[in-house]
Amino acid sequence: MSDTNPVARIETSQGTITVELDIEKAPVTVANFIEYAKNGFYENTIFHRVIPGFMIQGGGMTADMESKATRAPIKNEAANGLQNKRGTIAMARTQIVDSATAQFFINVVDNDFLNHQGPNPATFGYAVFGHVIEGMDIVDAIQQVSTGSRNGHRDVPVEPILIERITIID
């Protein structure tokens, strides 16, 4: 753990995942994530998209599969040199490059195809902004839960995986 990087404690219904945030390589993304965490935005959201052998995604929906209102989207920092490797945390987004708001995902395998490969939208990639330093066993347990379809979404855990809170440890 670095002396300068903030650490986020993601407390879930399955256990705690601790993530070191890379403030130097992803300053905009880290500041955005910290602001959402400190404002309590992530409390009682869920991991709403879980795909074994790929990633677990959460941070924007309630257990009722309702999207929470977010702040404006941020700049995509996918060109920061950080790679979508197993155990990294990155920002979820739409097809629009600079569309990330609050949702994030944790890679459960190396997902090189999500890395920045060029300036156009199809190859821009997904911004990694930190990595798991404790609790990868929790991430692995979450990726194994049973999923189904709910409210028009696929890969939704049958039993909600609650994000109780995210605390920033300075």
Side-chain angles (χ1 to χ4, degrees), residues 131-156:
H131 66 279
V132 174
I133 53 174
E134 269 180 61
M136 203 54 204
D137 56 328
I138 305 299
V139 174
D140 286 333
I142 292 171
Q143 77 161 316
Q144 298 303 327
V145 302
S146 296
T147 60
S149 294
R150 202 161 150 228
N151 289 22
H153 295 270
R154 296 190 331 232
D155 308 307
V156 179

PDB file of all heavy atoms in Angstrom, residues 131-156:
ATOM      1  N   HIS A 131      -6.876  -1.032  -7.490  1.00  0.00           N
ATOM      2  CA  HIS A 131      -6.832  -2.503  -7.456  1.00  0.00           C
ATOM      3  C   HIS A 131      -7.140  -3.017  -6.055  1.00  0.00           C
ATOM      4  O   HIS A 131      -6.906  -2.328  -5.061  1.00  0.00           O
ATOM      5  CB  HIS A 131      -5.467  -3.021  -7.937  1.00  0.00           C
ATOM      6  CG  HIS A 131      -4.343  -2.648  -7.031  1.00  0.00           C
ATOM      7  ND1 HIS A 131      -3.726  -1.412  -7.059  1.00  0.00           N
ATOM      8  CD2 HIS A 131      -3.730  -3.341  -6.044  1.00  0.00           C
ATOM      9  CE1 HIS A 131      -2.786  -1.369  -6.131  1.00  0.00           C
ATOM     10  NE2 HIS A 131      -2.772  -2.512  -5.502  1.00  0.00           N
ATOM     11  N   VAL A 132      -7.676  -4.232  -6.013  1.00  0.00           N
ATOM     12  CA  VAL A 132      -8.036  -4.881  -4.758  1.00  0.00           C
ATOM     13  C   VAL A 132      -6.755  -5.251  -4.012  1.00  0.00           C
ATOM     14  O   VAL A 132      -5.850  -5.857  -4.585  1.00  0.00           O
ATOM     15  CB  VAL A 132      -8.883  -6.148  -5.019  1.00  0.00           C
ATOM     16  CG1 VAL A 132      -9.145  -6.916  -3.721  1.00  0.00           C
ATOM     17  CG2 VAL A 132     -10.197  -5.780  -5.701  1.00  0.00           C
ATOM     18  N   ILE A 133      -6.672  -4.844  -2.732  1.00  0.00           N
ATOM     19  CA  ILE A 133      -5.511  -5.220  -1.907  1.00  0.00           C
ATOM     20  C   ILE A 133      -5.895  -6.231  -0.825  1.00  0.00           C
ATOM     21  O   ILE A 133      -5.034  -6.894  -0.273  1.00  0.00           O
ATOM     22  CB  ILE A 133      -4.811  -3.980  -1.288  1.00  0.00           C
ATOM     23  CG1 ILE A 133      -5.789  -3.088  -0.526  1.00  0.00           C
ATOM     24  CG2 ILE A 133      -4.110  -3.181  -2.382  1.00  0.00           C
ATOM     25  CD1 ILE A 133      -5.152  -1.931   0.227  1.00  0.00           C
ATOM     26  N   GLU A 134      -7.197  -6.353  -0.556  1.00  0.00           N
ATOM     27  CA  GLU A 134      -7.722  -7.369   0.373  1.00  0.00           C
ATOM     28  C   GLU A 134      -9.133  -7.707  -0.054  1.00  0.00           C
ATOM     29  O   GLU A 134      -9.872  -6.823  -0.474  1.00  0.00           O
ATOM     30  CB  GLU A 134      -7.801  -6.819   1.802  1.00  0.00           C
ATOM     31  CG  GLU A 134      -6.588  -7.025   2.665  1.00  0.00           C
ATOM     32  CD  GLU A 134      -6.823  -6.418   4.046  1.00  0.00           C
ATOM     33  OE1 GLU A 134      -7.751  -6.868   4.739  1.00  0.00           O
ATOM     34  OE2 GLU A 134      -6.092  -5.479   4.398  1.00  0.00           O
ATOM     35  N   GLY A 135      -9.494  -8.991   0.047  1.00  0.00           N
ATOM     36  CA  GLY A 135     -10.872  -9.387  -0.225  1.00  0.00           C
ATOM     37  C   GLY A 135     -11.118  -9.926  -1.623  1.00  0.00           C
ATOM     38  O   GLY A 135     -12.268 -10.009  -2.050  1.00  0.00           O
ATOM     39  N   MET A 136     -10.053 -10.312  -2.326  1.00  0.00           N
ATOM     40  CA  MET A 136     -10.270 -10.903  -3.652  1.00  0.00           C
ATOM     41  C   MET A 136     -11.065 -12.205  -3.526  1.00  0.00           C
ATOM     42  O   MET A 136     -11.806 -12.572  -4.449  1.00  0.00           O
ATOM     43  CB  MET A 136      -8.925 -11.109  -4.357  1.00  0.00           C
ATOM     44  CG  MET A 136      -9.004 -11.172  -5.861  1.00  0.00           C
ATOM     45  SD  MET A 136      -9.824  -9.760  -6.650  1.00  0.00           S
ATOM     46  CE  MET A 136     -10.314 -10.567  -8.183  1.00  0.00           C
ATOM     47  N   ASP A 137     -10.960 -12.850  -2.364  1.00  0.00           N
ATOM     48  CA  ASP A 137     -11.774 -14.058  -2.128  1.00  0.00           C
ATOM     49  C   ASP A 137     -13.261 -13.706  -2.111  1.00  0.00           C
ATOM     50  O   ASP A 137     -14.102 -14.494  -2.560  1.00  0.00           O
ATOM     51  CB  ASP A 137     -11.353 -14.759  -0.821  1.00  0.00           C
ATOM     52  CG  ASP A 137     -11.423 -13.840   0.400  1.00  0.00           C
ATOM     53  OD1 ASP A 137     -11.191 -12.611   0.279  1.00  0.00           O
ATOM     54  OD2 ASP A 137     -11.702 -14.352   1.499  1.00  0.00           O
ATOM     55  N   ILE A 138     -13.602 -12.520  -1.635  1.00  0.00           N
ATOM     56  CA  ILE A 138     -14.995 -12.055  -1.629  1.00  0.00           C
ATOM     57  C   ILE A 138     -15.449 -11.805  -3.073  1.00  0.00           C
ATOM     58  O   ILE A 138     -16.539 -12.208  -3.471  1.00  0.00           O
ATOM     59  CB  ILE A 138     -15.163 -10.762  -0.781  1.00  0.00           C
ATOM     60  CG1 ILE A 138     -14.636 -10.946   0.642  1.00  0.00           C
ATOM     61  CG2 ILE A 138     -16.616 -10.279  -0.807  1.00  0.00           C
ATOM     62  CD1 ILE A 138     -15.311 -12.019   1.456  1.00  0.00           C
ATOM     63  N   VAL A 139     -14.586 -11.138  -3.860  1.00  0.00           N
ATOM     64  CA  VAL A 139     -14.889 -10.890  -5.276  1.00  0.00           C
ATOM     65  C   VAL A 139     -15.140 -12.226  -5.986  1.00  0.00           C
ATOM     66  O   VAL A 139     -16.109 -12.378  -6.728  1.00  0.00           O
ATOM     67  CB  VAL A 139     -13.743 -10.114  -5.965  1.00  0.00           C
ATOM     68  CG1 VAL A 139     -13.990  -9.989  -7.471  1.00  0.00           C
ATOM     69  CG2 VAL A 139     -13.568  -8.731  -5.344  1.00  0.00           C
ATOM     70  N   ASP A 140     -14.263 -13.200  -5.736  1.00  0.00           N
ATOM     71  CA  ASP A 140     -14.408 -14.513  -6.370  1.00  0.00           C
ATOM     72  C   ASP A 140     -15.693 -15.214  -5.930  1.00  0.00           C
ATOM     73  O   ASP A 140     -16.348 -15.881  -6.739  1.00  0.00           O
ATOM     74  CB  ASP A 140     -13.192 -15.392  -6.086  1.00  0.00           C
ATOM     75  CG  ASP A 140     -11.971 -14.952  -6.886  1.00  0.00           C
ATOM     76  OD1 ASP A 140     -12.142 -14.357  -7.970  1.00  0.00           O
ATOM     77  OD2 ASP A 140     -10.832 -15.200  -6.427  1.00  0.00           O
ATOM     78  N   ALA A 141     -16.076 -15.045  -4.671  1.00  0.00           N
ATOM     79  CA  ALA A 141     -17.329 -15.642  -4.182  1.00  0.00           C
ATOM     80  C   ALA A 141     -18.524 -14.984  -4.872  1.00  0.00           C
ATOM     81  O   ALA A 141     -19.472 -15.664  -5.282  1.00  0.00           O
ATOM     82  CB  ALA A 141     -17.437 -15.500  -2.667  1.00  0.00           C
ATOM     83  N   ILE A 142     -18.479 -13.660  -5.026  1.00  0.00           N
ATOM     84  CA  ILE A 142     -19.583 -12.941  -5.676  1.00  0.00           C
ATOM     85  C   ILE A 142     -19.739 -13.395  -7.126  1.00  0.00           C
ATOM     86  O   ILE A 142     -20.858 -13.601  -7.600  1.00  0.00           O
ATOM     87  CB  ILE A 142     -19.393 -11.409  -5.578  1.00  0.00           C
ATOM     88  CG1 ILE A 142     -19.531 -10.953  -4.114  1.00  0.00           C
ATOM     89  CG2 ILE A 142     -20.388 -10.669  -6.477  1.00  0.00           C
ATOM     90  CD1 ILE A 142     -19.148  -9.508  -3.855  1.00  0.00           C
ATOM     91  N   GLN A 143     -18.621 -13.608  -7.829  1.00  0.00           N
ATOM     92  CA  GLN A 143     -18.746 -13.985  -9.248  1.00  0.00           C
ATOM     93  C   GLN A 143     -19.380 -15.364  -9.437  1.00  0.00           C
ATOM     94  O   GLN A 143     -19.818 -15.697 -10.530  1.00  0.00           O
ATOM     95  CB  GLN A 143     -17.397 -13.909  -9.977  1.00  0.00           C
ATOM     96  CG  GLN A 143     -16.475 -15.066  -9.696  1.00  0.00           C
ATOM     97  CD  GLN A 143     -15.373 -15.239 -10.727  1.00  0.00           C
ATOM     98  OE1 GLN A 143     -15.598 -15.164 -11.926  1.00  0.00           O
ATOM     99  NE2 GLN A 143     -14.175 -15.471 -10.235  1.00  0.00           N
ATOM    100  N   GLN A 144     -19.465 -16.153  -8.361  1.00  0.00           N
ATOM    101  CA  GLN A 144     -20.021 -17.509  -8.453  1.00  0.00           C
ATOM    102  C   GLN A 144     -21.506 -17.601  -8.109  1.00  0.00           C
ATOM    103  O   GLN A 144     -22.081 -18.676  -8.197  1.00  0.00           O
ATOM    104  CB  GLN A 144     -19.230 -18.453  -7.529  1.00  0.00           C
ATOM    105  CG  GLN A 144     -17.753 -18.587  -7.889  1.00  0.00           C
ATOM    106  CD  GLN A 144     -17.527 -19.054  -9.318  1.00  0.00           C
ATOM    107  OE1 GLN A 144     -18.304 -19.830  -9.864  1.00  0.00           O
ATOM    108  NE2 GLN A 144     -16.469 -18.566  -9.938  1.00  0.00           N
ATOM    109  N   VAL A 145     -22.128 -16.478  -7.716  1.00  0.00           N
ATOM    110  CA  VAL A 145     -23.538 -16.556  -7.312  1.00  0.00           C
ATOM    111  C   VAL A 145     -24.447 -16.833  -8.509  1.00  0.00           C
ATOM    112  O   VAL A 145     -24.083 -16.557  -9.652  1.00  0.00           O
ATOM    113  CB  VAL A 145     -24.008 -15.267  -6.566  1.00  0.00           C
ATOM    114  CG1 VAL A 145     -23.161 -15.016  -5.324  1.00  0.00           C
ATOM    115  CG2 VAL A 145     -24.026 -14.059  -7.487  1.00  0.00           C
ATOM    116  N   SER A 146     -25.619 -17.368  -8.227  1.00  0.00           N
ATOM    117  CA  SER A 146     -26.607 -17.625  -9.275  1.00  0.00           C
ATOM    118  C   SER A 146     -27.171 -16.306  -9.781  1.00  0.00           C
ATOM    119  O   SER A 146     -27.464 -15.406  -8.989  1.00  0.00           O
ATOM    120  CB  SER A 146     -27.759 -18.462  -8.726  1.00  0.00           C
ATOM    121  OG  SER A 146     -27.289 -19.725  -8.343  1.00  0.00           O
ATOM    122  N   THR A 147     -27.325 -16.207 -11.096  1.00  0.00           N
ATOM    123  CA  THR A 147     -27.864 -14.992 -11.702  1.00  0.00           C
ATOM    124  C   THR A 147     -29.042 -15.330 -12.600  1.00  0.00           C
ATOM    125  O   THR A 147     -29.243 -16.480 -12.983  1.00  0.00           O
ATOM    126  CB  THR A 147     -26.785 -14.256 -12.538  1.00  0.00           C
ATOM    127  OG1 THR A 147     -26.331 -15.129 -13.574  1.00  0.00           O
ATOM    128  CG2 THR A 147     -25.620 -13.800 -11.679  1.00  0.00           C
ATOM    129  N   GLY A 148     -29.803 -14.301 -12.927  1.00  0.00           N
ATOM    130  CA  GLY A 148     -30.934 -14.441 -13.825  1.00  0.00           C
ATOM    131  C   GLY A 148     -31.249 -13.094 -14.449  1.00  0.00           C
ATOM    132  O   GLY A 148     -30.425 -12.185 -14.385  1.00  0.00           O
ATOM    133  N   SER A 149     -32.434 -12.964 -15.007  1.00  0.00           N
ATOM    134  CA  SER A 149     -32.871 -11.690 -15.602  1.00  0.00           C
ATOM    135  C   SER A 149     -33.879 -11.027 -14.676  1.00  0.00           C
ATOM    136  O   SER A 149     -34.693 -11.705 -14.064  1.00  0.00           O
ATOM    137  CB  SER A 149     -33.512 -11.927 -16.967  1.00  0.00           C
ATOM    138  OG  SER A 149     -32.553 -12.391 -17.865  1.00  0.00           O
ATOM    139  N   ARG A 150     -33.776  -9.700 -14.602  1.00  0.00           N
ATOM    140  CA  ARG A 150     -34.694  -8.947 -13.750  1.00  0.00           C
ATOM    141  C   ARG A 150     -34.848  -7.529 -14.284  1.00  0.00           C
ATOM    142  O   ARG A 150     -33.853  -6.870 -14.566  1.00  0.00           O
ATOM    143  CB  ARG A 150     -34.136  -8.922 -12.325  1.00  0.00           C
ATOM    144  CG  ARG A 150     -35.214  -8.648 -11.317  1.00  0.00           C
ATOM    145  CD  ARG A 150     -34.801  -9.079  -9.924  1.00  0.00           C
ATOM    146  NE  ARG A 150     -35.492  -8.183  -9.027  1.00  0.00           N
ATOM    147  CZ  ARG A 150     -34.936  -7.556  -8.025  1.00  0.00           C
ATOM    148  NH1 ARG A 150     -33.681  -7.749  -7.736  1.00  0.00           N
ATOM    149  NH2 ARG A 150     -35.637  -6.749  -7.279  1.00  0.00           N
ATOM    150  N   ASN A 151     -36.081  -7.072 -14.418  1.00  0.00           N
ATOM    151  CA  ASN A 151     -36.371  -5.705 -14.887  1.00  0.00           C
ATOM    152  C   ASN A 151     -35.622  -5.360 -16.175  1.00  0.00           C
ATOM    153  O   ASN A 151     -35.098  -4.257 -16.309  1.00  0.00           O
ATOM    154  CB  ASN A 151     -36.033  -4.669 -13.813  1.00  0.00           C
ATOM    155  CG  ASN A 151     -36.989  -4.713 -12.645  1.00  0.00           C
ATOM    156  OD1 ASN A 151     -37.641  -5.727 -12.402  1.00  0.00           O
ATOM    157  ND2 ASN A 151     -37.090  -3.624 -11.909  1.00  0.00           N
ATOM    158  N   GLY A 152     -35.528  -6.308 -17.092  1.00  0.00           N
ATOM    159  CA  GLY A 152     -34.867  -6.047 -18.365  1.00  0.00           C
ATOM    160  C   GLY A 152     -33.348  -6.141 -18.327  1.00  0.00           C
ATOM    161  O   GLY A 152     -32.687  -5.855 -19.311  1.00  0.00           O
ATOM    162  N   HIS A 153     -32.790  -6.532 -17.188  1.00  0.00           N
ATOM    163  CA  HIS A 153     -31.331  -6.668 -17.055  1.00  0.00           C
ATOM    164  C   HIS A 153     -30.974  -8.145 -16.958  1.00  0.00           C
ATOM    165  O   HIS A 153     -31.672  -8.912 -16.296  1.00  0.00           O
ATOM    166  CB  HIS A 153     -30.836  -5.954 -15.784  1.00  0.00           C
ATOM    167  CG  HIS A 153     -31.037  -4.479 -15.824  1.00  0.00           C
ATOM    168  ND1 HIS A 153     -30.096  -3.616 -16.320  1.00  0.00           N
ATOM    169  CD2 HIS A 153     -32.087  -3.706 -15.443  1.00  0.00           C
ATOM    170  CE1 HIS A 153     -30.553  -2.368 -16.238  1.00  0.00           C
ATOM    171  NE2 HIS A 153     -31.760  -2.406 -15.708  1.00  0.00           N
ATOM    172  N   ARG A 154     -29.867  -8.520 -17.589  1.00  0.00           N
ATOM    173  CA  ARG A 154     -29.374  -9.890 -17.492  1.00  0.00           C
ATOM    174  C   ARG A 154     -28.227  -9.950 -16.492  1.00  0.00           C
ATOM    175  O   ARG A 154     -27.673  -8.923 -16.108  1.00  0.00           O
ATOM    176  CB  ARG A 154     -28.874 -10.362 -18.861  1.00  0.00           C
ATOM    177  CG  ARG A 154     -29.988 -10.441 -19.899  1.00  0.00           C
ATOM    178  CD  ARG A 154     -29.546 -11.137 -21.163  1.00  0.00           C
ATOM    179  NE  ARG A 154     -28.140 -11.002 -21.461  1.00  0.00           N
ATOM    180  CZ  ARG A 154     -27.630 -10.589 -22.598  1.00  0.00           C
ATOM    181  NH1 ARG A 154     -28.431 -10.260 -23.581  1.00  0.00           N
ATOM    182  NH2 ARG A 154     -26.339 -10.506 -22.788  1.00  0.00           N
ATOM    183  N   ASP A 155     -27.863 -11.158 -16.086  1.00  0.00           N
ATOM    184  CA  ASP A 155     -26.721 -11.399 -15.189  1.00  0.00           C
ATOM    185  C   ASP A 155     -26.896 -10.755 -13.817  1.00  0.00           C
ATOM    186  O   ASP A 155     -25.932 -10.329 -13.182  1.00  0.00           O
ATOM    187  CB  ASP A 155     -25.405 -10.920 -15.837  1.00  0.00           C
ATOM    188  CG  ASP A 155     -25.217 -11.493 -17.236  1.00  0.00           C
ATOM    189  OD1 ASP A 155     -25.298 -12.732 -17.367  1.00  0.00           O
ATOM    190  OD2 ASP A 155     -25.006 -10.722 -18.191  1.00  0.00           O
ATOM    191  N   VAL A 156     -28.148 -10.674 -13.360  1.00  0.00           N
ATOM    192  CA  VAL A 156     -28.469 -10.085 -12.061  1.00  0.00           C
ATOM    193  C   VAL A 156     -28.469 -11.195 -11.004  1.00  0.00           C
ATOM    194  O   VAL A 156     -29.143 -12.212 -11.181  1.00  0.00           O
ATOM    195  CB  VAL A 156     -29.862  -9.405 -12.089  1.00  0.00           C
ATOM    196  CG1 VAL A 156     -30.200  -8.805 -10.736  1.00  0.00           C
ATOM    197  CG2 VAL A 156     -29.936  -8.365 -13.196  1.00  0.00           C
TER     198      VAL A 156
END
